[in-house]
Structures are given as structure tokens and as C-alpha cells.
Amino acid sequence: MRFITCLGLGLLILYGSAVVSSEDLIQSVESGDLEQVKSILELGNINIDHIDENRGTALHIAAKSGSLAIVRLLTAKNADVSLVYGKSQSSALHLAAREGHLDIVEHLIEIGADTELKDKKGETPIFAAILKNRTDVIDALIEKGASLEVISRFKDTPTYKAVALGKTEAAELLLANNAPLSIPRVVETKCAKCHGIDGRSNAPFSPNLASMGQQYLRQQFEHFQSGARNHPKKTSRLVNGISTTVLSKLVKYYSEKPPISLETDPNAMVLGKLIYETACLDCHSVDGAATKISMPRLAGQNAEYLAIQMRAYRDGSRNNDIDGVMREASSELTDNEILNLTTYLQGL
């Protein structure tokens, strides 16, 4: 009786009849050995679609690792491109899209992989590509007709997912292709905790954004992004994940909200008005709505927030004002004068 081994795999061959398992195939794919995979497939007695609970099928492994040659071998032997596995219930197309293997994505779609197949979260392969900002893959999926309006189990669209994760390049690409985006939902998750869904802040030390000029808001966003303006908590981190187009939509959203009117201390109104008319009127107008689009609306602003900013200008810890105007205007003001001034502005 004659026994030999095949290609160093330790595969037992008895009179030319090889005994191999699906696990042998999976291990060969994992090792990336094209010749071993080819030899096993040529035997013809392997369940090519065997699913390992942790690793998936041989096709899943090859798609994730980026071996187009092995993927082609497997699909030529009719490996099922629709199979999903594991807790995520991901398909081979999901995995290739997430890892950015454009050539494999294109091949799988060419042979019939479904661009609308959903994983456990109800997310299609375009969501997977968004996870790691794979814009070339997103572009290819769009070209192949992938839906941009699909909604996941968590009510996310692809564009919202990109914005929520701070994947700015992906978000810009999707929006350029007219993908829908709910700005109120972006506001709810990115801004509302501090600034309210309607632009009315939820804390006296946070600014109201309602009816604020678009140019001023955009400027402040950009200053946070560049580091020209700092925030002790999380504003800088949040705005760094917002793309140019989304930023334009956000500032437009808040600028269109109706102005806010707040109660204030009537005893401070007279003194505050005198200070305002002396130091602030030229830039911020009689009604506090600003004379220039590059200036902020002060009317109805939280006095505590305004006082924090005035003191920061005065001591130089905030210095992103145009030509140092605010630093100069606040340099001689006492704490009590700042209190009266900001109390007056809150009541406008």
C-alpha cells in the first residue's frame, strides 16, 4: 500500500485518493498559499462553503485578507458570495469593503454579490466601507448602484453614519452624490447636549446659537478645528469630525432658528446699557444683533457665558478676535462692569 504527502500539507493520499478537510482549506487560505489552495480545490471533495464560527468560510477569510487570486480561485469553484457568519453576520463583500480591498469588491460585485445585503445591524457593505473611510470603495459601490438611502436597524443612513463617526472624507463623498442627511439628527447627537436642538443652550456657561450669523458661526467652528480657539471640554474634539459641507448645513440650521429672549436683572440694565453704548455699539448695533456678518449676535445671550468670554479676552487667554478688537474693548473693564454689561445683553 503506497502513502505519500501532498505539497507539504501532510495530506494523506492513498492510491491517488486524497483525504482532506474543509479545515485544511481554511488554513491554507489563512496562510495565503495560493498553490496549496489550488491543489486542495483540484481534489474536488471539499465543502468550499464550510463556515467556521469564528473565521467564516474560506471566501470570507480571503476577502478580508485581500488575496484577490485566492478569491478568484474560490469563486471559480462556485463559493457562495451570499453567505454570512459570526455575530456581525458579515458577508465577504462587507469584509472586503471594510478593509478597503477595492479589487475584491469589484470582483465580488461582478459575479453577483449583493450590494444591499444587510448584516446584523442592518448595514450594507457601504456602511462597512465608511468605518475606515474607504472612499475608493464607497465610490465603486455608488457606481455599482448601492443605495445611499438605506436605513440600518439603528435608523442610520450611510451619510449620518459617516458624520457620527467623524469620517469627513466619506461624508463629503456621499453628500456630493446627493446622499440624504438629517441635520436635526446630527444636531441632536453632536450639538444639542450643550446648545439645544433649537439653539437654546442647556447650561448658562454654554452659548445660545439660535439666530447667530452664519459667517461668525463658521469662523468659530473653524477656529476650534484649527486650535485658534480652545475649549476645556469637548467642543474641539466634536468639530474636528465635521466636514466642510456638514458644517455649512449646521451653521445654516442654527442661523435660521428664531432669536432667544431671556429674563435678566432689571437693576443691572441701566448700568449695563451705558457700558454697552460706550464700548460695544459700533460693532454690535443698538439691538445687539451685530452690524457685520462676521460679528456675533449678543442679544439674548447667556450672561454667564458672555462674562467668561469677556474675562478671557481681557486676560488674553482668548485671542481669536479680529484685529484684537475684543481684547482692547475688554482690557479696562472691571469684573463688576462685565457683570452689568453681560446681564444687560442677556435681557436684550
Side-chain angles (χ1 to χ4, degrees):
M1 189 173 291
R2 181 166 61 90
F3 297 87
I4 62 173
T5 60
C6 177
L7 296 173
L9 288 173
L11 304 181
L12 183 63
I13 300 179
L14 176 60
Y15 296 120
S17 177
V19 179
V20 293
S21 68
S22 300
E23 179 62 24
D24 293 317
L25 175 62
I26 285 176
Q27 288 182 4
S28 297
V29 172
E30 279 189 319
S31 69
D33 193 319
L34 180 64
E35 292 304 317
Q36 288 183 355
V37 173
K38 188 181 298 184
S39 297
I40 292 173
L41 293 176
E42 285 174 353
L43 294 171
N45 59 354
I46 295 295
N47 176 10
I48 199 171
D49 292 324
H50 169 73
I51 298 178
D52 179 276
E53 184 177 346
N54 297 315
R55 295 173 292 178
T57 66
L59 182 59
H60 287 128
I61 295 167
K64 183 178 180 180
S65 66
S67 177
L68 177 61
I70 292 178
V71 167
R72 286 185 179 278
L73 275 177
L74 294 168
T75 55
K77 293 290 186 178
N78 298 317
D80 191 341
V81 297
S82 68
L83 292 178
V84 298
Y85 84 100
K87 293 180 180 179
S88 67
Q89 293 293 285
S90 297
S91 69
L93 186 55
H94 281 93
L95 297 173
R98 187 185 70 194
E99 300 305 323
H101 302 313
L102 178 60
D103 51 358
I104 294 176
V105 167
E106 291 174 334
H107 172 70
L108 290 173
I109 295 174
E110 183 181 343
I111 64 170
D114 186 0
T115 60
E116 305 309 310
L117 185 64
K118 293 184 176 183
D119 62 13
K120 189 174 182 179
K121 293 181 180 179
E123 296 181 346
T124 58
I126 203 164
F127 284 88
I130 288 166
L131 288 175
K132 295 186 179 180
N133 238 347
R134 309 296 192 185
T135 52
D136 54 346
V137 173
I138 294 170
D139 203 31
L141 288 166
I142 293 172
E143 186 179 338
K144 298 297 182 181
S147 173
L148 302 181
E149 299 182 0
V150 61
I151 299 175
S152 74
R153 283 178 53 202
F154 301 102
K155 310 302 181 185
D156 298 341
T157 61
T159 316
Y160 174 78
K161 184 83 170 185
V163 173
L165 294 176
K167 306 301 181 182
T168 55
E169 293 88 351
E172 286 293 295
L173 175 58
L174 291 163
L175 289 167
N177 283 275
N178 300 314
L181 176 65
S182 170
I183 289 299
R185 188 164 183 221
V186 175
V187 168
E188 185 179 359
T189 55
K190 291 277 190 181
C191 316
K193 186 176 181 180
C194 294
H195 302 291
I197 195 73
D198 60 353
R200 180 187 291 266
S201 81
N202 295 315
F205 49 79
S206 294
N208 298 314
L209 301 184
S211 202
M212 194 70 74
Q214 290 188 45
Q215 182 171 322
Y216 176 77
L217 273 181
R218 171 180 284 280
Q219 180 191 69
Q220 297 310 302
F221 266 104
E222 290 172 348
H223 284 183
F224 279 123
Q225 288 176 329
S226 69
R229 182 177 178 185
N230 295 311
H231 192 278
K233 294 187 177 180
K234 60 182 182 180
T235 302
S236 299
R237 176 175 58 82
L238 286 173
V239 299
N240 279 335
I242 296 176
S243 71
T244 303
T245 304
V246 176
L247 174 55
S248 296
K249 292 177 181 292
L250 282 173
V251 299
K252 183 175 186 293
Y253 170 89
Y254 273 125
S255 72
E256 293 175 347
K257 293 299 175 184
I260 291 169
S261 178
L262 298 175
E263 295 182 358
T264 195
D265 180 1
N267 295 322
M269 291 295 287
V270 176
L271 291 174
K273 183 179 182 181
L274 288 174
I275 299 169
Y276 181 78
E277 290 177 345
T278 301
C280 314
L281 198 61
D282 288 346
C283 292
H284 295 287
S285 77
V286 174
D287 60 0
T291 58
K292 300 177 181 178
I293 59 174
S294 59
M295 300 293 178
R297 177 185 179 84
L298 299 182
Q301 189 56 270
N302 289 322
E304 184 174 334
Y305 167 77
L306 285 175
I308 291 170
Q309 300 309 308
M310 290 294 293
R311 291 193 293 269
Y313 279 127
R314 186 182 63 185
D315 66 26
S317 57
R318 180 174 174 184
N319 56 14
N320 69 321
D321 50 327
I322 299 173
D323 298 325
V325 171
M326 285 303 302
R327 281 169 284 174
E328 182 179 351
S330 60
S331 62
E332 301 298 326
L333 294 178
T334 66
D335 284 347
N336 194 53
E337 287 172 327
I338 287 175
L339 175 62
N340 287 325
L341 172 60
T342 56
T343 302
Y344 167 73
L345 289 168
Q346 178 173 291
L348 277 183

